[in-house]
Amino acid sequence: MITKDSIETAYSFLHQKRQVYIHSQLYEVLSDHRSDFLRDHKRFEKDITEAVKQLESML
């Protein structure tokens, strides 16, 4: 069973990260101007994996 604390922690982390990327030039670069980037539940895993790869290549 997943505890309420685990859900709240995951939600807080993901929500904070999403807000940072949505409101930055970095989000536009990573999303390739796709309006549903990191917002479409069905594509979230793929989108976040692509974002991590892009960021790693930028370091």
Side-chain angles (χ1 to χ4, degrees):
M1 179 174 213
I2 301 171
T3 67
K4 183 177 180 183
D5 288 339
S6 295
I7 294 168
E8 288 174 349
T9 299
Y11 172 80
S12 296
F13 175 78
L14 294 173
H15 183 266
Q16 177 188 21
K17 300 307 173 194
R18 179 180 174 269
Q19 292 303 100
V20 168
Y21 289 116
I22 287 174
H23 300 293
S24 74
Q25 279 282 40
L26 183 57
Y27 179 80
E28 290 178 19
V29 170
L30 295 175
S31 70
D32 196 26
H33 303 285
R34 274 192 21 243
S35 63
D36 65 343
F37 185 72
L38 294 176
R39 298 177 191 192
D40 180 352
H41 177 73
K42 294 175 186 174
R43 286 189 45 94
F44 185 82
E45 182 179 4
K46 182 177 181 177
D47 287 348
I48 200 142
T49 299
E50 290 175 8
V52 168
K53 287 179 183 176
Q54 286 182 45
L55 290 169
E56 285 175 348
S57 72
M58 297 166 90
L59 291 175

